[in-house]
Amino acid sequence: MEIVCIEKKAFDEICSHLSEFEDRLNRLCNLSQDFALKNWMDNQDVCKILRISKRTLQVYREKGLIPFARIKHKIFYKPDDIQRFIESNYHPIKNKRQ
């Protein structure tokens, strides 16, 4: 094992820089978590995107076609889940050449 000695002033500077780095990293992590939470959509958002009624959306939930989260009486959807639902129901036009 090798022991390295440094001046107290240099050690304090290193600690200060590490502390600043930690603060920046924590702020970045918190921003990404906040951003992810802001992306969740409610019934109105999903109905508008899919151009369906609230009742149709309820049927999709009951059939397990769209994943959701319920907090008290409010329902939320992840944008990725809605995108996956749209893509899974995509039917391209078949070429009718003979």
Side-chain angles (χ1 to χ4, degrees):
M1 179 194 306
E2 186 177 346
I3 297 176
V4 178
C5 294
I6 60 173
E7 293 180 356
K8 180 174 179 3
K9 183 179 178 182
F11 178 76
D12 290 342
E13 277 186 44
I14 292 172
C15 288
S16 175
H17 288 295
L18 285 174
S19 179
E20 288 175 17
F21 180 73
E22 181 185 22
D23 291 343
R24 287 182 189 172
L25 190 59
N26 285 333
R27 281 196 304 269
L28 284 174
C29 289
N30 289 338
L31 284 176
S32 67
Q33 288 173 352
D34 290 345
F35 183 71
L37 289 176
K38 290 178 185 175
N39 282 338
W40 284 76
M41 300 183 295
D42 63 7
N43 282 334
Q44 183 177 353
D45 297 330
V46 175
C47 287
K48 188 183 272 187
I49 289 169
L50 297 178
R51 296 183 183 153
I52 59 174
S53 68
K54 289 183 180 181
R55 177 65 183 131
T56 301
L57 185 56
Q58 181 181 350
V59 169
Y60 290 171
R61 281 194 317 267
E62 289 170 354
K63 289 184 175 182
L65 299 174
I66 297 179
F68 63 95
R70 183 188 318 249
I71 301 173
K72 294 195 178 187
H73 298 291
K74 184 101 172 156
I75 297 174
F76 298 95
Y77 307 86
K78 285 184 179 180
D80 294 343
D81 291 335
I82 302 305
Q83 182 67 35
R84 227 175 282 115
F85 174 75
I86 292 171
E87 290 171 0
S88 69
N89 288 287
Y90 176 72
H91 302 286
I93 296 173
K94 294 181 180 176
N95 201 354
K96 294 185 179 183
R97 292 184 185 178
Q98 293 178 340

